Amino acid sequence: MLSTTKEVILHIMPHVRGKVLDLGAGMAKYKETIKKHAADYIACDVKKNENIDMVCNVTNLVFPPESFDTVISTQVFEHVDNPFMVAQEIKKVLKMGGNAIITAPFMLPFHADPKDHFRFSREGLEEIFKSSGFEIIDSGTYGGFFMVLSEMIHFSWFDSYKHKSGRIVSIIERIAKVCDRIFPSKIIYANTFVVARKK
């Protein structure tokens, strides 16, 4: 069972190729991993920081049609007003046969950045992309019952947007990963991912 977004990123790397758009990249924490598989890498976010190449809104992408071979968006869809519109924008900027790789929460606590609108089951995230004309290549869930508990502690008592949230959180997360491997759950999970190909 996959436990974290980082593990999922490593799992989906075979689907990353060519020119890559990291959509809603934030601090671009997966940049170095992605760049190993990309011919070119562009980080895009609504807020500018030292890691962002282009500032734009995910519901109105400024790139020309069919600009990218891969679009990656991690933990962004819960923050947008209209995830179906974002899927259409991704489709617009992807080349034919290009891959959209999306992760989104299912049972994470509320975390406004600046807003927090949605949660996604595996089937729900798949449906957003199917209805936008994509073919689902891979999908799954990650972070089981104990990781959900760990995230609730993390979001409730610590700053979830700090990279270093303290030794206690790190220990709790490690214990949660082990417990999830011993006692896996198919119905309680923290996050969902999907790899969808533009047809």
Side-chain angles (χ1 to χ4, degrees):
M1 171 187 246
L2 297 166
S3 297
T4 65
T5 302
K6 185 174 182 180
E7 289 179 18
V8 170
I9 292 295
L10 294 174
H11 171 79
I12 53 83
M13 276 302 115
H15 300 291
V16 175
R17 64 177 187 274
K19 189 174 182 181
V20 176
L21 175 63
D22 191 348
L23 187 58
M27 298 307 292
K29 59 184 173 180
Y30 304 113
K31 177 179 181 177
E32 295 310 314
T33 303
I34 295 168
K35 282 180 74 173
K36 290 175 186 173
H37 300 265
D40 192 15
Y41 171 91
I42 294 177
C44 169
D45 199 272
V46 72
K47 292 183 277 190
K48 180 67 177 169
N49 66 54
E50 61 192 17
N51 302 295
I52 298 302
D53 303 304
M54 180 76 73
V55 174
C56 66
N57 191 313
V58 295
T59 57
N60 186 23
L61 297 179
V62 297
F63 305 100
E66 301 191 2
S67 297
F68 297 95
D69 301 287
T70 308
V71 174
I72 296 179
S73 185
T74 59
Q75 308 303 92
V76 172
F77 266 53
E78 71 271 26
H79 300 296
V80 301
D81 295 335
N82 189 333
F84 288 90
M85 184 185 293
V86 178
Q88 286 294 332
E89 286 294 298
I90 290 171
K91 184 179 180 183
K92 181 181 76 177
V93 301
L94 267 178
K95 295 175 184 176
M96 195 64 68
N99 291 331
I101 300 168
I102 312 297
T103 72
F106 177 60
M107 293 189 75
L108 286 185
F110 178 82
H111 56 289
D113 187 21
K115 298 178 181 178
D116 187 0
H117 295 290
F118 299 104
R119 294 294 178 269
F120 301 89
S121 67
R122 176 181 182 174
E123 289 80 2
L125 198 58
E126 285 183 358
E127 186 56 36
I128 288 171
F129 283 87
K130 283 179 186 175
S131 67
S132 297
F134 285 82
E135 174 188 4
I136 304 303
I137 303 302
D138 191 10
S139 67
T141 64
Y142 61 101
F145 174 79
F146 294 95
M147 188 57 73
V148 169
L149 291 180
S150 167
E151 292 292 340
M152 286 184 178
I153 293 168
H154 188 171
F155 278 84
S156 296
W157 293 311
F158 299 90
D159 186 342
S160 59
Y161 290 102
K162 285 186 179 174
H163 293 294
K164 307 267 184 200
S165 296
R167 192 169 170 213
I168 264 192
V169 170
S170 179
I171 291 168
I172 291 169
E173 286 178 353
R174 283 201 297 268
I175 292 169
K177 286 179 197 177
V178 171
C179 290
D180 277 337
R181 287 192 171 99
I182 297 170
F183 307 105
S185 172
K186 293 183 178 178
I187 61 169
I188 297 175
Y189 50 92
N191 302 283
T192 301
F193 75 91
V194 68
V195 180
R197 182 162 298 160
K198 179 178 174 178
K199 296 192 286 185

